[in-house]
Amino acid sequence: MLLRFLLSISILLGSPVALAEGFVFGKPASPESATRTVEIEMGEMYFKPAFVQIKAGETVRFVLKNVGNFPHEFSLGYTAMHREHREAMLRMQAEETLRDHGHGAHAHLAHAGPNTLVVEPGQAGELTWTFYQPDWLQFACNIHGHYQAGMIGQMEIMP
């Protein structure tokens, strides 16, 4: 009941609600608890597949393979969350440039939260998540310019 109330308030205000045990749409989980594995290829400004359906209550292990030439991010969230995330990354990058005169390249990528993973070129990574209830989310790369170039996927959490 409380979760539904928080979700309703979140939707009305247009802002995601982070809960102590995770986010309004779910929480991190251990790979051993996964009931399903979804492989996602990350390339130059795309995710393949770009649409994923999940069942509410399901725990999914995402295996993320970066086949591109640049670091890419896999971040679960709502549109507003991604916008805030990109703005925070730009601020961090600007502060880093001022502080290090550009020598600490990509240090701003190391801030990933529990719903986000950065995968370097030619590498793979995993993120496991339990989804609470029916919803629509995006998975996106919020590295500067990538989201704007279309590196966004859609996720439907079905009943």
Side-chain angles (χ1 to χ4, degrees), residues 7 10 13 15-16 21 24 33-34 37-38 67 75 84 88 90 94-96 101-103 124 128 130 136 142 146 158:
L7 178 60
S10 171
L13 297 176
S15 168
E21 64 274 5
V24 80
S33 65
T37 298
V38 172
V67 299
S75 183
E84 291 169 11
L90 282 174
E95 290 169 8
E96 171 186 304
H101 304 292
H103 293 97
T128 305
T130 299
W136 279 92
N142 291 298
H146 294 203
M158 304 177 309

Side-chain angles (χ1 to χ4, degrees), residues 110-122:
H111 72 284
N115 63 322
T116 302
L117 182 68
V118 175
V119 182
E120 294 295 328

